Amino acid sequence: MSDLGRVLRLDARRTALLVAVPVLTLAGTAATVLSLCPSVAYWDNTVVALVNAVRFLGPVAAGLAAWAAVRERPLDYLRDLTARSPATGVLFDLLLLSSAALVSYLAVTALVVAVTLVHEEAGHPHPLGAVAGAGALVLHVVVGYLTGRVVPHRVTAALVLAVTSLWAALRVPGESWWSLLPPAALPRLDLFTTLRPAVFADQVLWAAGTTTVLILGYVMWVTRRFLIVLPLAVALAATAAATLDLRGSSGAVAPAAAEQACRRWPLTVCVHPALRHALPRLMEQVTPLAARLDGTPGAFTRVEQRPAWVPVTVAGGVAAVHIDENLSPGYAARAVRQISEGLKDGPACASPNGYRALVDAWLLGDDPRAVPDSRTARRFASWSEHRRRAWLRLHFTEYRTCALGRGDFRTPHREKEHRPAKHPRREALDGARPPA
C-alpha cells in the first residue's frame, strides 16, 4: 500500500495537470468572448456560447491528454512495481485529466454566467446544456489520452489535435443533425425562441455512452477480462439510441412564448423582457403616430413586439412590430415605420402615388416630401394639426388603399369650434400630462 500511495502522489504532481488547467481556461475564455455578443442577456444564448466553447476547448483538451499519455508512457514500469491492475493507472490518469478539464470548464462557466447576470437577463437557464458541454469535454480527454496510450509517438498529440479540430470544424449550426453530436454547434437564438431540453439529454447520453465504450474497451483489451462485454454492450446501445433520437429531432431550437415587459401609459407598449430598457424610447416614438391615427380604422392603443416570423400588422387596436435584438441606432424609428407600412393594403399599394408619401411624412414626423403636385403639398402643409387629423378620418380608406388624389385635398374637413371631451388616454396622446 505504501508503494501505491507513492505512485498516486507522483501522478497527482505531474506537470501535465499544471499545464492543462491554465491552458484550457484561457482557451475556453477566448472562445466564449468570441461567442458572446454585447447584448448577451438571454439565458439561451448564454448556454449556446458555453456549449459552442467546447468546440475550441475539446481539441485542446484532447491534445493535452494525448501529450500526457505519450510523455508518461516510459514511466509505466514504476506502476508495475505495485500489485494493482494495469488498468488502474490509466483510469487514475483519466480521472485526473478529466478533473483538470472540468475545473477549467467550471471557470469558463462562471465567467459566462457572470456576464449574463450583469445584464438584465431574460429567459431561463438550462443546466442540462452545461452538463452536455462537460460530457463532450470529458469525451475529448478520453479520446486523446487513450490514443496516446495506444499510439505512443511524439506526433500523436499533434495528430489528435488536428483530427479533433477538424471534427469540431465540420459542425455547421442548423445545417444537419450531425451538428448536434458532441461537440455540438448551436446557432445563436433569436428572441421568442428557446432550446429543446430533449436535445441536451440526448447529447449527455451520447457523450456518456461513447466515453464508457472507449474506457471499457481499453480496459478489456488490457486486462483480457471479457466479462466487461455486457456493460460495454449496454453503453453501445445507449449511444445508438441517443444517435437515433438526435437524427430524428427537428433541431435544437423551438419557438417559445415569453411574458413580455410592458409600459402602460399613455399607450401600452410591450417587448421581450430582454429588451425592457427600450420601452421609454419606443413609447416616445409611437405616441405621436397613435395620436394622429386616433379615431381612424387604423387607430391603436397597444404596441407589441412579435417574433420575426410573424407579419407586421395593425388590427384590433394592436400594432405588431419587429425590433432588433441588438437595438441598433434607429430601432424605434424603424418600428414606427413598420406600423405605417402595416396600415397599407398590400395589393392596392403595389405602385403608390406621391400623395400617400405626403401623408406618411406627416404621420411619421418626417420632413415634407417633394411631390409633383407642389400646390397640393403647400395646401396640406398649411393645415393645422387638428384639421389634418379630421381630414385623415374622412379619407382613411383612400389612404390605406393608396388611392389618394388631388381632389381629396381640395375640400378639407372644416375645423369644429367646439371639441368634445376626450378620454384621459386621448389627452395623454395629444401631449397632456397623465391623470394622477
Side-chain angles (χ1 to χ4, degrees):
M1 289 301 294
S2 61
D3 290 338
L4 176 60
R6 283 195 295 270
V7 172
L8 293 180
R9 285 194 296 271
L10 288 174
D11 285 342
R13 294 172 184 170
R14 287 179 305 176
T15 57
L17 299 178
L18 301 178
V19 172
V21 173
V23 170
L24 291 176
T25 303
L26 289 175
T29 301
T32 52
V33 167
L34 294 175
S35 300
L36 294 177
C37 289
S39 61
V40 58
Y42 198 22
W43 276 108
D44 292 78
N45 282 326
T46 300
V47 176
V48 168
L50 190 59
V51 172
N52 286 340
V54 180
R55 296 168 60 196
F56 297 89
L57 266 175
V60 178
L64 286 173
W67 170 69
V70 174
R71 184 173 179 271
E72 299 297 330
R73 185 63 183 268
L75 301 179
D76 282 349
Y77 74 92
L78 293 175
R79 290 172 172 172
D80 294 338
L81 296 176
T82 67
R84 60 180 178 171
S85 169
T88 304
V90 172
L91 295 178
F92 188 72
D93 286 346
L94 289 175
L95 177 61
L96 290 176
L97 291 170
S98 298
S99 299
L102 291 177
V103 167
S104 305
Y105 185 74
L106 183 61
V108 174
T109 302
L111 172 65
V112 176
V113 170
V115 171
T116 306
L117 291 175
V118 167
H119 295 74
E120 295 185 67
E121 73 276 5
H124 303 283
H126 295 272
L128 201 57
V131 175
L137 186 58
V138 172
L139 175 60
H140 279 82
V141 172
V142 172
V143 169
Y145 183 82
L146 294 183
T147 303
R149 296 289 300 184
V150 175
V151 189
H153 296 291
R154 293 182 178 179
V155 297
T156 300
L159 289 176
V160 167
L161 177 62
V163 172
T164 52
S165 297
L166 180 62
W167 173 252
L170 291 176
R171 268 96 185 93
V172 180
E175 290 292 329
S176 171
W177 70 272
W178 282 93
S179 64
L180 299 179
L181 293 177
L186 302 178
R188 182 170 177 81
L189 272 67
D190 297 325
L191 300 179
F192 300 103
T193 57
T194 189
L195 296 167
R196 299 179 187 271
V199 172
F200 289 135
D202 290 331
Q203 290 173 349
V204 171
L205 182 61
W206 195 93
T210 306
T211 301
T212 305
V213 167
L214 293 174
I215 294 176
L216 292 180
Y218 182 82
V219 171
M220 186 174 64
W221 177 59
V222 171
T223 62
R224 307 299 179 185
R225 295 183 179 179
F226 296 99
L227 292 177
I228 302 177
V229 170
L230 181 59
L232 183 62
V234 173
L236 279 172
T239 302
T243 303
L244 293 176
D245 285 345
L246 289 174
R247 184 176 182 179
S249 66
S250 55
V253 182
E259 185 176 351
Q260 296 185 327
C262 298
R263 188 168 181 175
R264 305 186 183 280
W265 189 267
L267 302 171
T268 299
V269 181
C270 299
V271 298
H272 191 278
L275 305 181
R276 59 173 63 90
H277 54 280
L279 286 173
R281 183 62 179 168
L282 283 171
M283 182 69 77
E284 178 185 350
Q285 290 285 322
V286 301
T287 298
L289 177 61
R292 287 164 181 164
L293 291 172
D294 184 38
T296 70
F300 62 91
T301 57
R302 184 180 180 91
V303 179
E304 292 184 356
Q305 180 189 4
R306 297 289 174 82
W309 60 84
V310 176
V312 173
T313 58
V314 181
V318 179
V321 297
H322 300 156
I323 302 174
D324 301 335
E325 180 182 349
N326 58 358
L327 299 182
S328 55
Y331 67 90
R334 286 191 294 273
V336 173
R337 292 185 182 278
Q338 291 173 20
I339 298 174
S340 175
E341 292 296 321
L343 297 173
K344 293 181 180 179
D345 185 345
C349 292
S351 56
N353 55 32
Y355 297 109
R356 165 78 192 222
L358 192 66
V359 180
D360 281 341
W362 163 62
L363 288 177
L364 299 176
D366 294 341
D367 295 332
R369 305 285 181 86
V371 296
D373 190 352
S374 59
R375 184 176 181 180
T376 300
R378 288 194 300 269
R379 181 184 297 116
F380 186 74
S382 66
W383 294 350
S384 66
E385 180 73 13
H386 179 70
R387 178 170 292 183
R388 290 180 185 180
R389 296 183 187 184
W391 173 88
L392 182 61
R393 296 187 189 104
L394 292 176
H395 297 86
F396 187 81
T397 301
E398 292 81 3
Y399 168 76
R400 180 188 290 275
T401 58
C402 298
L404 290 172
R406 179 182 301 177
D408 295 315
F409 293 86
R410 289 179 179 173
T411 55
H413 181 72
R414 181 167 296 178
E415 191 172 357
K416 296 182 180 180
E417 295 181 359
H418 175 70
R419 300 183 185 180
K422 291 186 177 181
H423 186 275
R425 180 182 290 272
R426 292 188 177 180
E427 292 183 355
L429 290 177
D430 286 335
R433 295 176 61 86

